[in-house]
Amino acid sequence: MIEPRRSAPAPAWPAAVELADAAAARAGVVTRSAAGAELGRVLARFEATWGAGRGPDRSMLQAIAHAGNTILVAVPAAEIGTDVSVLGATLGFLGWEEGLHLHSHMNAVDPSVRGRGIGVALKLRQRALCLERGIDEMRWTYDPLIRRNAHMNLVRLGAEVAAFRPDFYGRLDDRISGADRSDRFEVRWRLDSPRTRRALAGRPQPDWSSHGGLALVADFEQVRADAPAEAARLRERAHESFAALDAARLRPEVGATGDYVFTNDDPDREAS
């Protein structure tokens, strides 16, 4: 038998568990690692979100779980037993490019229960599991034109944009993106940073200094479905703005209006 080797839990781990438990309770769910018998339902949740064949297959999920990576589910708090509904699922795996981290790759929630905070609850459970294992950073990508995701990632959780990744996945042709270009922001979530602690405590963001910005439409996904040409125009305009950020040593933040502001402020600064 292979003897386990683990890093010591981070000092923030007990508080992170309490925070994850509280977020799950508010959402009316329990968040935990998926049992082996639930992997088929995890796969079904991913396929319901992105379409059949747009994610890992059952054997890949089994291998990822066996290696100790995070495959988590959100199940109704009122349901018990082995045949519970999977309302949300998330998948993450370890990476070591530019430092050891968890790459949180997929996070899917049943559309009928969106808005309850289940996606945040799953992210907070991932955070707690990382800190338990001495891992202090998570990363993931998101579509920078999806306003609600920008707010969740940068404001609610306290992650920060690390890079703009143009057409990162190529043409996806999935249920969400269709033929749209897969431009993404890569974010890093420093799990016990001042910025993250501020965000998770609900303290206000700073009034970021602004060196430009980009207004976001309220629902880009709806625009993409109803007016593809307009969505393509918005994508191109955003692409040009984001591609210039690195050379200018700026990063995007979500300002008070819900739009992006481009700033070079210390990401850990507190509101004055």
Side-chain angles (χ1 to χ4, degrees), residues 7-178:
S7 301
W13 169 57
V17 172
E18 292 181 7
L19 196 65
D21 288 345
R26 285 194 301 272
V29 297
V30 172
T31 54
R32 54 167 173 75
S33 296
E38 292 174 319
L39 293 181
R41 273 168 273 169
V42 170
L43 180 59
R45 173 56 49 218
F46 290 155
E47 290 191 338
T49 301
W50 287 283
R54 301 300 176 184
D57 63 16
R58 174 66 173 72
S59 64
M60 181 62 74
L61 286 182
Q62 175 65 31
I64 290 170
H66 180 73
N69 289 284
T70 58
I71 300 180
L72 308 181
V73 293
V75 300
E79 293 185 14
I80 59 174
T82 58
D83 192 25
V84 296
S85 306
V86 171
L87 300 179
T90 192
L91 162 65
F93 46 83
L94 288 179
W96 54 72
E97 183 72 15
E98 298 182 0
L100 186 66
H101 62 279
L102 182 88
H103 182 83
S104 183
H105 183 53
M106 304 179 84
N107 195 13
V109 174
D110 186 328
S112 69
V113 293
R114 285 180 189 162
R116 282 173 35 180
I118 292 174
V120 168
L122 284 165
K123 277 282 195 280
L124 290 175
R125 185 64 63 194
Q126 276 187 316
R127 174 177 179 261
L129 289 170
C130 285
L131 290 170
E132 181 184 8
R133 289 156 176 78
I135 297 167
D136 62 5
E137 185 171 314
M138 286 171 54
R139 301 179 198 167
W140 61 89
T141 65
Y142 80 94
D143 185 336
L145 297 189
I146 308 298
R147 190 184 186 104
R148 69 176 184 279
N149 288 350
H151 183 271
M152 184 183 86
N153 293 330
L154 306 189
V155 179
R156 176 67 182 82
L157 296 177
E160 61 203 85
V161 174
F164 174 54
R165 305 293 186 191
D167 206 20
F168 187 58
Y169 299 108
R171 180 164 166 162
L172 291 168
D173 282 322
D174 62 18
R175 187 168 289 167
I176 293 177
S177 300

